Every structure is written in structure tokens, then in C-alpha cells.
Amino acid sequence: MGTADVIPGISSGTIALLTGIYTQLLGAIHSFNKTAFYLFRTCKWKLFWHHIHGNFLLPLGLGITVSLLTTVRLVRYLLAEHPIEIWSFFWGLSIISSIVVYQQIKRISLLTLLLSSIGAFLAYYITQITPLTSSNALWFIFIAGGIAMCAMILPGISGSFILLILGKYAYMLEALEKFDWPILTVFLLGGLLGLLTFSKFIFLLLRTYTGYTIALLAGFMLGSIPKTWPWKALVPAVNTANSIMVEKNISPMDFQVVYQKDPHILQAFLCISLGCLVVIMLKKLGGRKHI
């Protein structure tokens, strides 16, 4: 999940879905309520730890933290030096992930199809928004953290891509690499607020309208697939005053014509296959659990 958080286009919520811990994760976050505050304030540590699912959150949090700190440079290197291969891997991962989640919908109805279509449209629309230029003020960092964390908990919508849209992706990666604690602290506080409020909403939806919520989440994943397409070209953004360049999906043949470079079709196919294999392995590691 930590590695997924670094990639614009891949959601840590997707990884949680595939490994069968999504509902458990939302439930653990949902447990940070008045009861948890009371147990903490009265120093009832054992009850507090049990109430917040500490035995689940501690190893998960450590894994995410270690992964973030150790893979951020590697991911940036791969995206810069081997973009076709790394995006092919994530494209394969996204395709199979969507199929796996759709398989968890027990009963297909007109409403589930409608919700899935809405989710796909929203995710696709979000991934097509032109990146903005933004302030480095702490108040904006706080808001960016809240919005990005809400996206991270949703399968298919990447928190990293939300930061890219808000013009804060490179800025926050640099802060993470340099351990700029004032910036990171403000960002995490905003993220914590967004996570606690939004995750409770999703948790209640899953408990009350399970099938419909899964259909919506699966739609989010489906709509985000075009973002991970391996072959892209930079084109001027439409209807913008500034000369902002955005990515446009193109075919491997067009990529070769535009950039006069080998489109690495064989390598891409192998990486797509590897992405599919990783999803299958994650599914097996997660057992036959539902979300």
C-alpha cells in the first residue's frame, strides 16, 4: 500500500481490496471515536488498543511507512527512466484488479450497473483534469493532505494523482525525501482529518449497501484504467490560459513516430503479465475474503 501511494494512478485502496482487508481497514479507522478518546484519556491502554484494532493497524502502518521511505526514490527513478515498463505493470494490475472486484458483486442489477457507470465516469473525469499551479502555504498543504487521503482510501482514485492535479506531487515527494517535518506534519494532519471523516462514510455505505458500494468502487477502478496506459504523448492542454502540457494516450506505433523511440512492446507485454500475476498472488494471499 505504501508503494501504491507513491504512484500517480494507483490507489492504496485497490491493494487493500485485493488483499481482503478493505472493510477491516475502514472499520479500524472508524473505531477512532468518542469511546477510543475516553479509553485513551482514562489510561485504559489494553481496552484502547483492542478498540482501535491495534494489532491490525500497527503492522499495516509500519509496512506502509517503511515502503514509503524505501521505495520513493526507486519509483521516481523507474518512472523517469523506464516509464513504458512501469506503466505497463500498473496497467496490467489495474485491469485484473477491476475484474477481481467486479466478481465480488453477488447480484447484478440495473442499479449496480448505473452506480458502476457513475463511478467509472467520475474516476475518468478526475484523471483527465489538467494539473494546477498552487500555493506552498501551509493552509493549502493541509487541504491537499485532506483531499489526497480521501482519494487514497478509494480504490481506483490515486491520492498521488490528486496531489498531481493540485500541483503538489513533486513538492510533497521532495519534502518526504528531505524529511521536511513542518511540511510533512501539516500534510499528515490534513490527511488524518480527511481520512477519519471520509472513511466513516464509506464504512457505513459498505455495511448498509454492500453490493451497491462494491459496484461503485469497482467503477472507480475501471474508470482509472486509462490513466495507467503505457504509451503517452505530451500535448498542450485545451482551454487553458497558460501553456500547460498534459499527457494523452497514444498507440505504440504513434509513440514510435512521435518520439522516434522503440515502444518496447515485448517488454510492455511482459510487465503487463507481471502485473496480472501480482494481482493473482495478492488475491491468494488475501484468501477468499470479500472486501
Side-chain angles (χ1 to χ4, degrees):
M1 288 176 65
T3 303
D5 286 335
V6 181
I7 310 296
I10 300 297
S11 169
S12 56
T14 299
I15 305 302
L17 269 175
L18 293 175
T19 52
I21 66 169
Y22 190 68
T23 302
Q24 188 177 2
L25 174 61
L26 291 178
I29 298 172
H30 186 69
S31 68
F32 284 85
N33 49 25
K34 292 181 180 180
T35 302
F37 177 74
Y38 170 77
L39 293 174
F40 181 82
R41 184 170 55 85
T42 55
C43 300
K44 296 179 179 179
W45 307 119
K46 189 174 182 179
L47 290 175
F48 171 76
W49 187 256
H50 177 73
H51 179 78
I52 66 168
H53 306 268
N55 290 336
F56 167 75
L57 287 179
L58 179 61
L60 181 67
L62 288 175
I64 291 174
T65 302
V66 171
S67 181
L68 276 172
L69 295 177
T70 56
T71 62
V72 59
R73 287 186 175 87
L74 174 62
V75 168
R76 291 188 71 179
Y77 168 78
L78 290 175
L79 287 174
E81 301 298 328
H82 304 281
I84 293 177
E85 288 80 0
I86 194 68
W87 283 116
S88 296
F89 172 78
F90 290 125
W91 192 73
L93 188 148
S94 300
I95 290 285
I96 301 300
S97 298
S98 300
I99 295 174
V100 169
V101 175
Y102 269 109
Q103 289 175 343
Q104 296 188 23
I105 303 175
K106 295 181 179 179
R107 188 172 66 88
I108 302 296
S109 66
L110 183 61
L111 184 55
T112 58
L113 292 175
L114 177 62
L115 289 171
S116 180
S117 300
I118 292 173
F121 173 78
L122 289 175
Y124 180 78
Y125 177 77
I126 290 172
T127 60
Q128 300 305 305
I129 295 176
T130 303
L132 306 173
T133 55
S134 57
S135 169
N136 292 334
L138 293 180
W139 66 267
F140 190 81
I141 299 299
F142 181 86
I143 293 175
I147 298 174
M149 197 62 73
C150 288
M152 285 177 185
I153 206 67
L154 280 176
I157 299 181
S158 166
S160 296
F161 186 72
I162 295 298
L163 288 179
L164 196 64
I165 292 173
L166 296 175
K168 283 289 158 284
Y169 178 68
Y171 183 78
M172 291 312 303
L173 277 188
E174 183 179 356
L176 184 60
E177 288 183 2
K178 295 181 178 179
F179 296 101
D180 190 336
W181 290 114
I183 297 298
L184 293 176
T185 300
V186 172
F187 179 83
L188 289 174
L189 287 175
L192 182 62
L193 179 62
L195 184 65
L196 290 176
T197 54
F198 190 67
S199 61
K200 291 183 178 182
F201 173 68
I202 298 297
F203 180 70
L204 291 175
L205 283 179
L206 273 173
R207 290 186 62 181
T208 310
Y209 307 103
T210 305
Y212 297 140
T213 306
I214 294 174
L216 183 64
L217 296 178
F220 284 141
M221 296 177 65
L222 185 65
S224 68
I225 289 175
K227 175 59 186 173
T228 57
W229 178 252
W231 295 277
K232 304 176 185 295
L234 288 175
V235 297
V238 180
N239 298 327
T240 55
N242 300 322
S243 56
I244 299 176
M245 304 296 288
V246 296
E247 290 180 334
K248 177 185 177 182
N249 292 341
I250 58 175
S251 70
M253 289 68 71
D254 288 338
F255 179 89
Q256 187 171 20
V257 171
V258 172
Y259 292 105
Q260 296 296 307
K261 292 181 180 179
D262 183 357
H264 294 180
I265 295 177
L266 177 59
Q267 296 93 318
F269 176 78
L270 293 174
C271 289
I272 290 171
S273 302
L274 180 60
C276 295
L277 181 62
V278 167
V279 172
I280 295 171
M281 292 175 62
L282 285 174
K283 184 62 178 173
K284 288 185 176 181
L285 287 174
R288 294 186 176 274
K289 298 177 182 178
H290 293 289
I291 66 173

